[in-house]
Amino acid sequence: MREIGLIKALAMTRRAGKMTPEERAALRRRRLEALVAHARANSPYYAERYAGLGADFALTDLPAVNKVELMARFDDWTADRAVTLARVRAFMEDKDNIGRMLDGKYLVFTTSGSTGHPAVIIWDKTAMNISSALSVLRSYARREDMAAFLKKGKRSASLFADDGFYLGCGSIRYQLHKMPYKKGQIMNIDVRTPMARAVERLNAFRPAMLGGYPSALELLAEEQEAGRLHIAPAVVMTGGELLRPEVRERLGAAFGGYVQTNYSCTEGGTVAHECRNRHFHINDEWIIVEPVDSAGRAVPDGVQSDKLLLTNLASFAQPIIRYEVTDRVILHREPCGCGCTAPWLELEGRIDDTLTFSGGVRAAPLGLYALLKEIPGVRRFQLVQREQDVLELRLLAEDREAAFETARRELGAYLKSLGADVGIVLGEDLPRTHPESGKFRHIMSLGQERGPAAQKL
């Protein structure tokens, strides 16, 4: 695939937005055929999986894939034989490479690993430009909010993990490396920053747009309500977690700006954008979403899926074709009053808890997650609040004791910086899913765990 520059990506996105559903379906089919042909020719993994595939294939003729299988075959999965997992991991050892391009060609990201198996994903410049075009043209649910953002000075501040190869901070750093003149307009505050320092920086910066994880922004809303934070963003953009209705309402009341969110993942970029009716419209000229049940069978429109299969038609560097994602969605094709003709989704997002300790000290889950995710040797973790000031850390790690000592020290220091004196114990059990829903949560507040082993400590 020839590289698509940003100007062309913007023009393509604008043109697709004016197409009928039938025209976008034909475009989608052409792009799928091109992606499959590219994958067969350049990825040994897909060449093997698609052996014998005819030219007139249906989407369902393509076998579904998952991150465990793909990561086990990483060197065969990528479409560039020079990109190996060993080279990518060596590149990731230097945190200064966050937002920089491997070989001058590929941005490197890692998924959150909510299922216990994080994936390493590479984006080429075309994927980045398409993602940027979708963001520029479709990220605002209401046009008046973009106008207000521009009028207030175009400064955007966000709260995401800032020292990992995650999509949020990696994209921000990429933009700053590419356009250093925007350093006065774009700021990301690490979600683990002590609240007083975050408030100080935001008061000085005065963002026109505030972004971040909903749980982190809810803590900022408390600061705004208490009169310590004094900002008036035109729009609040959340991501990375489910935006609960009560949190949306609180953020709107605290900051005064319009509050919205989107549906994104590292493997697919911005899968769907939220409209003013709070429907998540799929960017369906570039993304194919297939809601399926636990056995991988398609579920009807209007029925909640157990998971979904995702195809990213812009992912040529590392083909993502019928890729299993554990999110549960409901697909709708009925018309939406906003005027967008693309299908839309209802989402059941992943939910982790904000922890509250003695004295009212609170810790956002993504800050805790970002810290624990970087502990060497940890394959999976789960943090459970047993008493108000006692946390149980369950670990699946190469050396549980060594990993726990590192985690206990770093987690304890982080919580002390917030003003909480917390005891941390190593759990006897390994991280586990909810016994009823089967969903996995990394961070659980006091009394939130259910099941026969919940009262073990």
Side-chain angles (χ1 to χ4, degrees):
M1 179 181 179
R2 183 176 298 176
E3 182 178 309
I4 296 175
L6 180 58
I7 299 301
K8 184 175 181 180
L10 287 164
M12 294 168 72
T13 302
R14 191 182 300 277
R15 187 162 57 247
K18 298 177 181 179
M19 290 180 177
T20 66
E22 294 75 22
E23 289 171 331
R24 285 200 309 277
L27 175 61
R28 192 163 57 245
R29 176 65 194 190
R30 293 194 298 271
R31 287 175 174 170
L32 176 63
E33 290 175 352
L35 177 61
V36 168
H38 174 83
R40 295 180 77 174
N42 296 281
S43 165
Y45 172 81
Y46 280 106
E48 177 185 311
R49 296 300 303 271
Y50 294 167
L53 183 70
D56 191 24
F57 64 87
L59 179 62
T60 51
D61 291 335
L62 307 174
V65 300
N66 62 65
K67 69 175 69 175
V68 176
E69 180 181 353
L70 290 172
M71 284 303 297
R73 297 283 304 277
F74 185 93
D75 293 358
D76 291 332
W77 172 21
T78 58
D80 185 339
R81 303 275 56 77
V83 179
T84 66
L85 186 57
R87 287 193 63 226
V88 173
R89 291 206 186 281
F91 179 82
M92 294 172 68
E93 287 179 1
D94 184 355
K95 294 291 183 68
D96 189 55
N97 285 328
I98 297 170
R100 300 186 187 279
M101 288 196 144
L102 173 69
D103 296 338
K105 297 179 180 179
Y106 308 113
L107 277 173
V108 176
F109 300 119
T110 183
T111 65
S112 64
S114 62
T115 59
H117 302 282
V120 176
I121 304 297
I122 60 173
W123 286 27
D124 61 16
K125 293 178 183 178
T126 289
M128 279 302 303
N129 289 333
I130 290 169
S131 176
S132 296
L134 291 171
S135 177
V136 169
L137 295 177
R138 298 183 185 169
S139 62
Y140 289 88
R142 310 185 310 179
R143 289 185 179 180
E144 57 264 36
D145 297 316
M146 175 181 277
F149 166 68
L150 296 174
K151 186 176 180 180
K152 282 197 169 188
K154 301 185 291 185
R155 291 180 303 277
S156 62
S158 56
L159 273 78
F160 292 112
D162 195 42
D163 64 348
F165 285 82
Y166 303 118
L167 182 61
C169 65
S171 298
I172 292 170
R173 289 204 193 184
Y174 170 75
Q175 296 293 338
L176 290 175
H177 290 320
K178 188 177 178 181
M179 298 173 285
Y181 56 87
K182 285 197 170 185
K183 285 186 178 179
Q185 292 184 317
I186 302 174
M187 177 178 70
N188 184 56
I189 300 175
D190 193 285
V191 71
R192 295 162 294 182
T193 301
M195 188 55 65
R197 175 58 178 153
V199 166
E200 179 183 0
R201 293 184 64 188
L202 287 168
N203 280 335
F205 192 70
R206 296 178 295 109
M209 179 193 298
L210 179 64
Y213 309 123
S215 57
L217 297 182
E218 188 177 17
L219 298 184
L220 282 181
E222 290 186 3
E223 298 297 308
Q224 184 92 347
E225 292 159 355
R228 292 182 289 271
L229 182 62
H230 310 278
I231 59 175
V235 63
V236 178
M237 294 271 195
T238 79
E241 294 175 338
L242 177 69
L243 177 60
R244 298 180 180 94
E246 66 273 15
V247 176
R248 186 195 296 262
E249 184 177 348
R250 185 177 189 183
L251 295 178
F255 297 114
Y258 185 75
V259 181
Q260 64 174 91
T261 188
N262 62 57
Y263 177 37
S264 301
C265 66
T266 310
E267 299 92 334
T270 303
V271 175
H273 59 281
E274 187 183 50
C275 72
R276 63 176 63 235
N277 293 327
R278 300 182 182 176
H279 295 158
F280 292 89
H281 290 275
I282 302 169
N283 292 310
D284 66 339
E285 78 269 37
W286 288 111
I287 297 290
I288 301 174
V289 173
E290 300 174 75
V292 296
D293 63 17
S294 58
R297 297 171 300 221
V299 301
D301 294 354
V303 175
Q304 187 177 64
S305 69
D306 292 309
K307 54 187 177 181
L308 60 88
L309 302 178
L310 180 73
T311 299
N312 183 348
L313 298 172
S315 183
F316 275 65
Q318 190 180 34
I320 304 287
I321 305 173
R322 304 198 79 215
Y323 175 94
E324 183 179 302
V325 177
T326 57
D327 295 337
R328 301 201 291 192
V329 302
I330 301 173
L331 179 64
H332 293 268
R333 297 184 194 274
E334 59 264 36
C336 176
C338 76
C340 179
T341 60
W344 53 276
L345 301 171
E346 287 183 69
L347 306 178
E348 181 187 84
R350 302 184 186 102
I351 302 174
D352 284 314
D353 297 327
T354 296
L355 303 185
T356 302
F357 304 103
S358 293
V361 176
R362 303 182 75 196
L366 265 295
L368 301 169
Y369 175 89
L371 186 151
L372 292 170
K373 176 72 167 57
E374 299 301 319
I375 301 299
V378 172
R379 293 169 55 193
R380 200 176 197 195
F381 66 87
Q382 192 168 49
L383 191 65
V384 182
Q385 189 174 28
R386 286 300 183 202
E387 300 174 17
Q388 187 168 32
D389 295 319
V390 176
L391 299 176
E392 174 194 357
L393 180 58
R394 299 172 183 161
L395 291 173
L396 179 62
E398 297 167 8
D399 185 333
R400 272 169 48 87
E401 295 292 338
F404 172 71
E405 284 305 313
T406 301
R408 183 183 60 80
R409 181 176 62 254
E410 296 190 10
L411 185 60
Y414 169 62
L415 292 171
K416 280 190 176 180
S417 74
L418 300 180
D421 187 8
V422 178
I424 305 166
V425 298
L426 178 61
E428 296 179 10
D429 297 314
L430 295 177
R432 57 175 178 258
T433 58
H434 192 282
E436 297 173 3
S437 70
K439 297 197 72 174
F440 184 82
R441 296 166 71 186
H442 288 96
I443 315 293
M444 286 184 280
S445 61
L446 189 63
Q448 291 304 303
E449 188 180 34
R450 299 290 184 268
Q455 301 304 321
K456 203 158 193 183
L457 290 181

